Amino acid sequence: MPAEPHPATAQPATADRLPLRRRLLPVIALLLLAPWAAECSWGGFAIDDFLPVLIFLGPMYGGAAILIRETARHLGAGWPTIVLLAAAFGVLQAGLVDQSLFNPDYLDDTQYTDTRAAAEATLVPGLEFSLRQAFDYVGNHIVLTICAPIVLIESFLGADRRLRPWLGRPGLVVVGVLYLLGSLLIFSDSSGRKGFLASPLQLAFAAVVVLALIATALLPRWRHPRPRRAPSAAPDSTASGQKGPARRAPHPLWVGLLVVLVRFSTDLTPGWAGVGIALALAATVGGLIAYWSSRAAWGQRQVLAAGSASLLIAAAFAYLVPPYSPASPEAALAGDVAVTVITVALVGGAWWRLRRASPAPIPAG
């Protein structure tokens, strides 16, 4: 994942001393964008359900995205920490809050009940959860709920604010309480956990995975990455111990196309073979992006390409998938069109903002 700027040039990990309105604007934007990206961007709801999704799921999804982003930025950490914390949230959400990971009947009251057979083909013995569903649930939370919204909002900000915290301790406490209340609402609501309660072994397994991911995310190593060589470095620098010109990061288009290719390849084969391919491809693309991020000229444009590609794919496929609950053809189509308009506006606006800010590569977090 993208590397941090050199510690000597990084911004101090303190909340912006800007007017409250300016400091809260990106917070509110992330609070609203996270639930929309998680549940609406791929066609999960018709247009008349967009507002209820933001109201009822915003505290949980948006609160998690804010807390994850702020934790990483306060620590001076970058995308490895954000991705690991996003994975922890995905397991927490699917394993402990709504418990969809362990509930075989979770989708039976939706238009996705036909996915049950495919899920049962990859059941993990003893723990009785589908590895295919775990990959989809947790992966979508990493990409759509957390990373894509953070990438978009940070791309709209100036370079001087992109890597800095937005909130101080009082703000973090408020968001934390908001997240807990939102999670308790889903846990206790009949349409959230759906009356299902996982076994003690399943709950313990999910809790251990969450704690392990959080502990890994908070390792000090993510806070002190090696500095990238500047694009203007000498072609043959003996001081760095390297021979020849510094290898440049790929064009943002290639980064985005790689993510698109991987997304299309994850459903090639059903069963355990399909899950193995999906996990291998996800690990490969993650490692390749991490390798590219250490090269010269890697910046926010490459990060935006990687983060927005999945959102664009989700919006494109919204026309082909049904919403959770039956809706009139008009409402479903209106929702899909709205998804397209919102996604194009967000991604296009973020690209325009980056190009307008500077024609040169922009440092990424």
Side-chain angles (χ1 to χ4, degrees), residues 27 59 63 66-67 70-71 74 167-181:
V27 176
I66 294 168
L67 290 174
E70 291 298 286
T71 297
H74 273 281
L167 298 172
R169 289 183 181 178
L172 290 175
V173 170
V174 171
V175 174
V177 171
L178 194 66
Y179 167 71
L180 289 176
L181 292 177

Side-chain angles (χ1 to χ4, degrees), residues 294-331:
S294 65
R295 290 185 174 185
W298 177 273
Q300 188 65 20
R301 293 174 185 173
Q302 283 84 356
V303 176
L304 178 58
S308 62
S310 295
L311 192 63
L312 289 170
I313 295 173
F317 276 87
Y319 294 91
L320 304 179
V321 301
Y324 281 118
S325 301
S328 67
E330 295 78 12

Side-chain angles (χ1 to χ4, degrees), residues 262-281:
V262 170
R263 176 61 185 86
F264 279 113
S265 303
T266 54
D267 296 322
L268 289 177
T269 307
W272 289 101
V275 175
I277 292 173
L279 289 171
L281 286 172

Side-chain angles (χ1 to χ4, degrees), residues 154-176:
E154 289 191 342
S155 296
F156 276 97
L157 299 177
D160 59 331
R161 298 184 63 200
R162 188 169 300 132
L163 305 182
R164 299 176 63 182
W166 300 332
L167 298 172
R169 289 183 181 178
L172 290 175
V173 170
V174 171
V175 174

